[in-house]
Amino acid sequence: MQADTAVLTGVLFAVALWLVLQRSFVRILFGFIIFTNAANLFVLMMSGEPGGRQAPIMEPGVNAVDPLPQALILTAIVIGFGVTAYLVTLLYRLFLDGRTTDARELFADEPDEREKSK
Amino acid sequence: MNLVALPVLVPMMTALVLLFLGTRPTLQRVLAIGSFAGQLVIAVMLVGRSWDEGVLALPLGAWVAPYGIVFVADLLAGLMLTLSAVTILAGAVYGVIEMPGRRSHPLRLPLLQFLAMGINLSFVTGDLFNLFVAFEVLLLASYALLTLEADDWDVKQAFPYLALNAVGSTVFLCAAGLSYAMLGTLNFADMSARAADMSGDPRLMALGLVFVLVFGLKAGLFPLYFWLPHSYPTLATPVAAVFAGLLTKVGIYVLIRMCTTVLPHDMSALHGLIAWMSGATMLLGVLGAISRNFIRGILSFHILSQVAFMTLALGLFTPLSVAAAIFYIAHHIIVKSSLFLVGGVAALLNRTDDLNRMSHLWKATPWLGVVFLAQALSLAGLPPLSGFWGKYLIVVEGLAQREYWLVGASLVASVLTLFSMLKIWLAAFWREEAEVRVVREDRRWRPLTVVAGAMTAISLTIGLGAEPLLRLAGRAAEMTLDQEGYRDAVFGLRGKSLEEGIPGVLPVPLPGDGAAAGGEFLPFPGGTP
């Protein structure tokens, strides 16, 4: 149980990292989504095996999963959802402005400094 | 109502009310500024109470310390709350004067309140996961502020900020998971107790490295800083002042909290790493500042080199140098945000902040020149201004620890800071270019200068009356370094905060002898996993 979760988390992190380093926005976005989910799985894995653990408010002797990491992951999922929603709208705006999903193209003809005239 | 919860509750409630007042700008502004002023009063009261009573702890919902959520305010947290309230108040007032009538965006003030809520929560939280939540609240508010009034070019610059901070937050989540696996708890006090038991374990070093990675990214330390100097100049002046003053300092605060309160004090390898990262950040940041040619760009790069002074002081890790770090934070938040405000007024008068096209300002507005010069020299660290005292302490402590290279780097960085500040001074204030016009008909610059001047007055008070603040910083450093005292307060052993807040709470079992007292309530029978 522990070993295969560890391998799965490692693979997810590797895939996420590879995607985040791509040039296309859409891939970066998917990389970020996989990254947050890999982190959630990582936290769950860190809580260890459920066998023998016990929740603080239950009768002694009842087998239960440690509830704290679950609560934490639930919070993290909600937050990750919010950030992802924001990221999607931002990338859509970037696409509308630049008519490209290529990060290198977007930042290509950048002036060294901007001459602001506000 | 317990005082410790108010710094989070007040901005949250105000933000919710402000969201409904988008069509009534005047009412929205009065309420927002009143709320920021109220937060300042609350923060000052917290400093006073913490000075008298030590660490104040509030267990929420009567769930006692290691199991429930705890809010903790000690002197350092109170000081940071005060500084954040001052800065955001100045930013809000500046924004209101700058954008009269209905021209300003109706979401800016509610988002500033949410930003304040996130910042304040990260100062008072007593456990690692709530710190994650606080960071997400403040980051989401900052993403929104960064793109709220942005044009095409600004949005592009926001993208690296967003991507890097989102990834950083996810690594933070992994760090929380790691701490839970290693220590079996996320409560700072409980973590410090269990980390003290495994002092010298290499896994603690690994955890410390992850913390440095996560919070060094937030603070803008050496290999992790490149998102900052390009995104900050795109912000509107008052928002940029708030960001520049506060956001990196939240990272520094947490780094101080982790190194002093949570992790054992004997990790000199970790402290050395922080010190050397600071040395590199210092030089690279100031060189970047010299390379820029517009005011906000120069100031944004300076944030990096100044932040490094604080982490260098933390890296030296003596009681006096931690106090110097705290003093330097107080100095820097005020000086940096007021410099951004001055830059905004100058840009308003010249209609640009590109140094090649600015001039005449000294003749047009000598008072703005005085304010700028005072803050610029303070940033460079000339006596008797506020920057001098922090740098002096850092140099003295560095020499005492024979870190000659780091001391040398800090002195070089100071001289180069002075050089780049003089670059702004010579180009924008001193030069007299015939074809550049100063737009004095725009009446807004007078009250805006007054706001920047008020911040400067605070910074001059810090510089000229350094003694009381140094004593405050010393006491705050003592309090954060005293892990026993922190634990006692959080676990309610001092009894003061518990009995006052929640009457009739059962006595708390100590985490140390948990097997003897109330063992059936421990989440892990038989110890940590």
Side-chain angles (χ1 to χ4, degrees):
Chain A
M1 168 66 185
Q2 284 277 3
D4 37 8
T5 325
V7 171
L8 178 61
T9 320
V11 169
L12 281 178
F13 271 126
V15 170
L17 198 62
W18 183 75
L19 282 172
V20 163
L21 295 178
Q22 297 294 302
R23 275 166 51 185
S24 156
F25 287 162
V26 186
R27 291 192 181 198
I28 294 174
L29 176 70
F30 278 106
F32 174 70
I33 294 171
I34 293 175
F35 200 45
T36 51
N37 283 306
N40 290 339
L41 194 63
F42 181 78
V43 175
L44 186 68
M45 189 180 76
M46 283 294 134
S47 69
E49 291 220 33
R53 289 294 180 69
Q54 189 186 323
I57 45 171
M58 289 177 86
E59 299 265 317
V62 179
N63 254 2
V65 183
D66 184 359
L68 187 72
Q70 319 248 339
L72 302 188
I73 292 166
L74 193 57
T75 318
I77 288 173
V78 176
I79 291 174
F81 173 71
V83 176
T84 309
Y86 185 85
L87 204 58
V88 170
T89 48
L90 182 83
L91 292 182
Y92 185 55
R93 162 102 194 253
L94 281 177
F95 171 71
L96 288 185
D97 288 345
R99 288 285 157 198
T100 174
T101 57
D102 190 324
R104 188 189 287 179
E105 229 173 88
L106 187 79
F107 288 97
D109 50 335
E110 188 140 309
D112 222 22
E113 274 171 28
R114 189 194 197 191
E115 302 200 336
K116 277 245 177 193
S117 51
K118 276 183 187 171
Chain B
M1 180 73 72
N2 194 301
L3 199 58
V4 180
L6 283 181
V8 181
L9 287 180
V10 172
M12 182 171 76
M13 302 314 283
T14 323
L16 293 178
V17 174
L18 289 183
L19 283 177
F20 291 101
L21 295 178
T23 51
R24 313 264 314 265
T26 316
L27 189 60
Q28 195 188 35
R29 288 164 171 201
V30 170
L31 194 62
I33 289 176
S35 162
F36 285 131
Q39 288 166 41
L40 179 59
V41 173
I42 292 166
V44 170
M45 280 165 71
L46 263 176
V47 171
R49 264 195 65 184
S50 168
W51 178 270
D52 292 336
E53 299 173 24
V55 181
L56 308 165
L58 168 70
L60 296 182
W63 277 84
V64 285
Y67 308 123
I69 291 170
V70 202
F71 279 3
V72 190
D74 60 358
L75 208 49
L76 175 59
L79 195 63
M80 297 298 290
L81 288 171
T82 313
L83 291 165
S84 89
V86 169
T87 312
I88 301 191
L89 181 63
V93 172
Y94 187 100
V96 165
I97 297 171
E98 191 191 30
M99 291 274 195
R102 286 171 177 277
R103 276 172 54 211
S104 69
H105 200 288
L107 280 179
R108 190 198 270 180
L109 287 170
L111 282 172
L112 271 179
Q113 292 281 1
F114 276 125
L115 189 73
M117 176 196 163
I119 292 173
N120 290 354
L121 181 59
S122 52
F123 292 153
V124 298
T125 181
D127 72 279
L128 198 60
F129 198 81
N130 270 303
L131 187 67
F132 170 71
V133 175
F135 268 36
E136 290 297 333
V137 171
L138 86 86
L139 281 176
L140 274 172
S142 76
Y143 301 155
L145 282 169
L146 201 60
T147 48
L148 192 65
E149 294 148 292
D151 57 22
D152 297 5
W153 200 86
D154 294 339
V155 171
K156 263 202 306 195
Q157 301 306 312
F159 178 63
Y161 176 89
L162 183 75
L164 224 66
N165 275 299
V167 170
S169 307
T170 313
V171 179
F172 186 4
L173 188 63
C174 297
L178 274 177
S179 331
Y180 190 66
M182 268 176 56
L183 305 167
T185 177
L186 290 171
N187 182 288
F188 286 161
D190 210 9
M191 278 169 80
S192 80
R194 298 192 192 193
D197 287 344
M198 48 193 286
S199 171
D201 194 318
R203 286 181 297 167
L204 270 184
M205 188 66 196
L207 187 66
L209 282 177
V210 177
F211 283 152
V212 169
L213 177 73
V214 173
F215 304 122
L217 174 72
K218 307 282 176 203
L221 281 187
F222 159 53
L224 313 161
Y225 66 69
F226 68 88
W227 52 274
L228 189 148
H230 297 290
S231 56
Y232 279 20
T234 64
L235 289 159
T237 304
V239 183
V242 171
F243 274 41
L246 292 176
L247 290 194
T248 48
K249 259 56 78 186
V250 178
I252 305 276
Y253 166 83
V254 179
L255 214 50
I256 292 180
R257 178 65 80 208
M258 287 297 152
C259 285
T260 57
T261 307
V262 175
L263 295 171
H265 289 176
D266 54 6
M267 301 171 72
S268 53
L270 188 71
H271 303 146
L273 175 73
I274 294 176
W276 280 97
M277 281 167 79
S278 315
T281 318
M282 229 172 242
L283 291 177
L284 291 173
V286 83
L287 289 176
I290 289 174
S291 78
R292 299 281 103 175
N293 207 26
F294 59 111
I295 293 180
R296 275 176 295 182
I298 293 177
L299 292 178
S300 298
F301 264 106
H302 270 309
I303 297 172
L304 302 171
S305 73
Q306 302 291 312
V307 153
F309 276 95
M310 302 161 208
T311 47
L312 173 61
L314 174 67
L316 295 174
F317 212 76
T318 62
L320 188 61
S321 78
V322 175
I326 295 169
F327 182 90
Y328 207 93
I329 291 175
H331 141 76
H332 177 76
I333 290 179
I334 302 288
V335 167
K336 181 52 81 177
S337 50
S338 64
L339 271 175
F340 265 90
L341 296 181
V342 172
V345 182
L348 187 74
L349 283 167
N350 272 166
R351 290 288 181 242
T352 174
D353 74 342
D354 182 350
L355 288 179
N356 290 333
R357 294 188 287 144
M358 298 179 75
S359 72
H360 292 309
L361 287 180
W362 176 246
K363 205 176 245 175
T365 65
W367 280 109
L368 187 68
V370 168
V371 167
F372 174 79
L373 211 55
Q375 298 302 68
L377 296 181
S378 178
L379 196 69
L382 293 187
L385 298 161
S386 56
F388 169 71
W389 303 105
K391 282 187 181 169
Y392 174 73
L393 284 178
I394 293 167
V395 168
V396 165
E397 281 298 291
L399 288 179
Q401 297 203 15
R402 300 173 183 282
E403 296 281 4
Y404 299 121
W405 284 106
L406 290 173
V407 170
S410 72
L411 293 177
V412 169
S414 301
V415 172
L416 293 179
T417 307
L418 186 62
F419 171 74
S420 62
M421 282 293 141
L422 284 180
K423 187 168 137 185
I424 300 181
W425 168 256
L426 290 176
F429 288 89
W430 202 242
R431 194 170 53 160
E432 303 202 344
E433 197 88 18
E435 60 261 39
V436 178
R437 215 167 65 83
V438 177
V439 192
R440 293 189 60 179
E441 301 83 63
D442 193 341
R443 288 276 162 217
R444 288 176 292 167
W445 67 269
R446 282 177 202 276
L448 293 179
T449 311
V450 171
V451 178
M455 293 289 272
T456 309
I458 297 174
S459 135
L460 284 179
T461 319
I462 293 176
L464 299 176
E467 173 96 28
L469 187 70
L470 272 176
R471 218 180 303 144
L472 191 73
R475 182 87 181 273
E478 218 172 83
M479 225 183 252
T480 50
L481 285 166
D482 176 18
Q483 297 191 335
E484 289 284 334
Y486 187 87
R487 271 175 236 155
D488 287 356
V490 171
F491 292 138
L493 295 184
R494 292 211 179 129
K496 218 177 266 166
S497 51
L498 263 184
E499 276 153 30
E500 183 189 303
I502 308 135
V505 164
L506 294 171
V508 194
L510 266 176
D513 50 22
E520 69 268 29
F521 286 122
L522 282 179
F524 304 107
T528 55

